[in-house]
């Protein structure tokens, strides 16, 4: 059996921070691209009839909710800051519960930070990913960004952890002892 050396342990300990930084960079660099080169409301077809890039901004929450309220930006900034503090504390205490939970939390934190940066710098969030499900009869889905995707995937991972993977999970398959 090989023992992990000091450098290996340090890399393993630093990996979540590296992943978090990469998530934030991907989100912010893609948003920067649209700030610099995007034309609001103009579709760039990636996969005809299905996937488009469409630069838009959102001053509200999910699906533009509360975008018409003057107090919303202050509310979003305060609640996001508090949520990030809470998530960081949660990560600190829950990270030893396994990689699934740890990286789910990293995705949620990365997504929250990505959109928080937008709100702090521009008082709006840049969105650009657009999918059309008209072929399923569902129409076009709301435009979103990578931070939104990180948040959704992270929340799903956290739910899966607590529903199926955690030692006390409600839907965990347990061995029966005879």
């Amino acid at each position: 059996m090989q023992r992990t050396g000091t450098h290996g342990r340090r890399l393993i300990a630093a990996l979540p921070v590296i992943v978090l930084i990469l998530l934030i960079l991907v989100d912010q660099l893609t948003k920067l691209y649209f700030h610099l080169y995007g034309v609001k409301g103009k579709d760039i077809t990636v996969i005809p009839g299905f996937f488009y890039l469409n630069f838009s901004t959102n001053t509200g929450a999910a699906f533009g909710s509360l975008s018409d309220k003057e107090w919303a930006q202050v509310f979003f900034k305060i609640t996001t800051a508090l949520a990030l503090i809470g998530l960081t504390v949660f990560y600190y205490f829950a990270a030893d519960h396994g990689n699934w939970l740890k990286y789910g939390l990293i995705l949620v934190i990365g997504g929250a930070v990505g959109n928080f940066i937008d709100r702090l710098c521009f008082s709006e969030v840049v969105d650009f990913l657009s999918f059309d499900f008209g072929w399923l009869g569902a129409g076009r889905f709301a435009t979103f960004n990578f931070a939104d995707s990180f948040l959704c995937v992270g929340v799903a991972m956290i739910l899966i952890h607590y529903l199926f993977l955690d030692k006390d999970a409600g839907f965990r398959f347990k061995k029966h002892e005879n």
Side-chain angles (χ1 to χ4, degrees), residues 2-3 7 25 38-39 44 48 50 61 67 88 98 118 121 130 147 154 162 169:
Q2 265 188 340
R3 296 175 66 180
H7 295 298
L25 278 173
V39 177
I44 299 169
F50 177 65
S67 61
T88 303
D118 284 13
C121 294
S130 181
Y162 282 112

Side-chain angles (χ1 to χ4, degrees), residues 141-159:
F141 189 73
T143 305
F144 58 99
N145 58 46
F146 283 119
D148 299 334
S149 300
F150 301 154
L151 282 162
C152 290
V153 171
V155 166
M157 289 176 71
I158 293 167
L159 287 173

Side-chain angles (χ1 to χ4, degrees), residues 38-106:
V39 177
K40 280 191 178 181
K42 181 181 177 197
D43 278 344
I44 299 169
T45 302
V46 179
I47 300 173
F50 177 65
F51 177 45
Y52 304 89
L53 298 176
N54 184 305
F55 174 41
S56 63
T57 54
N58 180 5
T59 58
F63 310 110
S65 60
L66 301 177
S67 61
D68 58 339
K69 307 294 184 202
E70 290 182 28
W71 51 266
Q73 281 303 311
V74 173
F75 174 75
F76 294 142
K77 289 172 186 173
I78 291 170
T79 55
T80 303
L82 292 173
L84 284 169
I85 291 167
L87 286 165
T88 303
V89 170
F90 183 40
Y91 176 86
Y92 178 77
F93 288 106
D96 63 342
H97 287 243
N99 286 334
W100 195 262
L101 177 61
K102 178 175 21 179
Y103 286 100
L105 286 166
I106 289 295

Side-chain angles (χ1 to χ4, degrees), residues 90-141:
F90 183 40
Y91 176 86
Y92 178 77
F93 288 106
D96 63 342
H97 287 243
N99 286 334
W100 195 262
L101 177 61
K102 178 175 21 179
Y103 286 100
L105 286 166
I106 289 295
L107 282 164
V108 170
I109 292 168
V113 168
N115 283 340
F116 190 51
I117 290 169
D118 284 13
R119 289 195 190 285
L120 290 176
C121 294
F122 308 109
S123 293
E124 61 187 10
V125 175
V126 172
D127 293 321
F128 55 89
L129 300 169
S130 181
F131 289 88
D132 189 338
F133 296 100
W135 50 278
L136 291 173
R140 203 161 209 183
F141 189 73

